């Protein structure tokens, strides 16, 4: 296994990695807190959450297996060379565990809080069912030949696929409602920061090793950052540019109705026409 050539780059790698971990981990809390305060999940797309759970579960399997399994690491070195470094860091494993837990908590909130008329679509249920059935088949294929690196690469591919599609329902829901009310922008800003830091971490490792194997050796981590950044920019544009005043307009209208309603419905205290 390769060692670091530069101490400053190694320190930068660790700082960027844990910055990504902190940003991505904290990014789950604004939505959870918003749901708790509103006692409602209206505005949060349920398909996004369900797809997100499958995504993070797959990513956890990949990260934990490659980070802790000597057998899988051996297969990785045989494929990419022993002069390469494992493309999974401790912060990747820690983030995945935390992400699965917080996404599960969000699903629990969906179950107990006001949902309005929202529900998980049949398309999403079908996609998730097909993905896990496919994963189960791959496990049975890998067992006889002990193709563990191939197997976890399947889970990595699953998380990439889920990352690409999971944001789409929320984007279209915001567009249909012409509002981002109920969907926390704090989540997106932190997610964007984590994506940038994660990509920077990979770049630092590649610069130190003078090799870009790190990027295509863990294509899932690479695409995770790029796809997340792309959709985060869309959400930021929706929130601050396209629909910036929707919530304020609704609140203003409610306040105005509260102030005008007593003047209309006060038969016991008629107002003077001269006032």
């Amino acid at each position: 296994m390769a060692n670091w050539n530069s101490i400053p780059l190694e320190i930068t790698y660790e700082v960027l990695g844990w910055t990504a971990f902190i940003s991505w981990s904290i990014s789950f809390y604004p939505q959870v807190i918003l749901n708790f305060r509103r006692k409602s999940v209206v505005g949060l797309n349920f398909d996004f959450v369900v797809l997100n759970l499958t995504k993070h579960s797959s990513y956890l399997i990949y990260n934990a297996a490659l980070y802790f399994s000597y057998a899988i690491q051996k297969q990785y070195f045989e494929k990419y060379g022993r002069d390469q470094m494992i493309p999974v860091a401790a912060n990747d494993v820690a983030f995945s565990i935390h992400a699965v837990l917080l996404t599960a908590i969000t699903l629990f909130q969906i179950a107990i809080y006001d949902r309005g008329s929202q529900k998980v679509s049949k398309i999403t249920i079908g996609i998730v069912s097909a993905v896990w059935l496919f994963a189960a088949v791959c496990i049975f294929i890998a067992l006889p030949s002990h193709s563990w690196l191939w197997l976890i690469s399947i889970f990595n591919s699953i998380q990439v696929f889920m990352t690409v599609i999971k944001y789409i329902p929320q984007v279209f829901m915001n567009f249909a409602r012409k509002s981002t009310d109920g969907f926390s922008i704090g989540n997106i800003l932190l997610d964007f920061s984590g994506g940038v830091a994660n990509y920077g971490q990979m770049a630092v490792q590649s610069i130190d090793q003078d090799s870009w194997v790190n990027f295509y050796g863990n294509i899932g981590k690479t695409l995770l950052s790029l796809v997340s950044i792309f959709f985060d920019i869309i959400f930021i544009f929706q929130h601050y540019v396209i629909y910036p005043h929707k919530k304020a307009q609704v609140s203003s209208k409610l306040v105005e109705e509260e102030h005008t309603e007593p003047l209309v419905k006060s038969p016991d205290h008629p107002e003077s026409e001269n006032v």
Side-chain angles (χ1 to χ4, degrees):
M1 181 176 178
N3 296 316
W4 284 92
N5 298 312
S6 169
I7 298 299
L9 286 178
E10 181 180 6
I11 294 174
T12 303
Y13 173 87
E14 293 294 337
V15 170
L16 287 172
W18 288 105
T19 298
F21 165 74
I22 293 172
S23 297
W24 272 342
S25 297
I26 296 177
S27 72
F28 289 91
Y29 288 93
Q31 187 66 59
V32 171
I33 294 172
L34 180 64
N35 295 341
F36 175 76
R37 288 177 175 174
R38 298 170 68 230
K39 297 296 185 291
S40 170
V41 289
V42 174
L44 172 64
N45 190 276
F46 300 167
D47 293 345
F48 168 76
V49 180
V50 172
L51 294 171
N52 208 23
L53 181 62
T54 297
K55 173 254 189 280
H56 286 304
S57 298
S58 302
Y59 197 41
L60 173 59
I61 292 172
Y62 171 81
N63 284 333
L66 185 53
Y67 188 78
F68 291 111
S69 172
Y70 173 78
I72 297 177
Q73 290 179 6
K74 181 180 178 181
Q75 292 179 10
Y76 181 89
F77 292 138
E78 290 174 352
K79 181 175 181 179
Y80 295 107
R82 292 193 173 275
D83 58 337
Q84 300 298 323
M85 299 179 70
I86 291 297
V88 174
N91 62 272
D92 296 318
V93 180
F95 163 73
S96 296
I97 295 173
H98 183 269
V100 170
L101 177 62
L102 265 293
T103 305
I105 291 175
T106 305
L107 275 176
F108 179 70
Q109 290 182 317
I110 289 175
I112 64 175
Y113 289 152
D114 176 35
R115 300 184 295 274
S117 59
Q118 295 178 211
K119 59 183 180 180
V120 180
S121 70
K122 293 181 180 179
I123 294 177
T124 293
I125 294 175
I127 290 174
V128 170
S129 300
V131 162
W132 286 112
L133 178 61
F134 173 72
V137 171
C138 289
I139 290 174
F140 283 105
I141 294 175
L143 280 175
S145 59
H146 295 173
S147 302
W148 307 128
L149 183 62
W150 172 81
L151 179 60
I152 67 168
S153 71
I154 293 297
F155 282 100
N156 201 18
S157 298
I158 289 174
Q159 78 91 8
V160 171
F161 171 68
M162 303 307 289
T163 300
V164 171
I165 69 172
K166 73 172 186 174
Y167 293 103
I168 296 175
Q170 187 69 57
V171 170
F172 278 98
M173 184 176 182
N174 293 345
F175 174 77
R177 297 172 70 234
K178 299 294 185 290
S179 172
T180 57
D181 188 23
F183 182 62
S184 174
I185 192 61
N187 167 25
I188 299 305
L189 297 176
L190 288 164
D191 189 59
F192 179 82
S193 300
V196 172
N198 186 64
Y199 195 81
Q201 182 191 35
M202 298 182 71
V204 167
Q205 180 176 335
S206 295
I207 292 171
D208 179 82
Q209 300 296 304
D210 193 23
S211 169
W212 299 99
V213 171
N214 180 47
F215 280 90
Y216 59 81
N218 189 358
I219 190 65
K221 187 174 181 180
T222 304
L223 292 179
L224 169 63
S225 298
L226 295 179
V227 173
S228 297
I229 290 172
F230 172 76
F231 278 100
D232 287 341
I233 291 174
I234 293 177
F235 286 127
I236 291 171
F237 187 75
Q238 284 184 322
H239 184 82
Y240 290 108
V241 179
I242 305 178
Y243 318 122
H245 302 301
K246 295 297 181 181
K247 183 174 181 180
Q249 289 174 352
V250 173
S251 300
S252 177
K253 183 177 180 181
L254 291 175
V255 171
E256 182 180 351
E257 289 177 353
E258 289 177 357
H259 283 287
T260 56
E261 186 177 5
L263 295 178
V264 177
K265 298 182 178 181
S266 301
D268 296 333
H269 299 284
E271 299 291 334
S272 172
E273 293 181 356
N274 296 326
V275 174

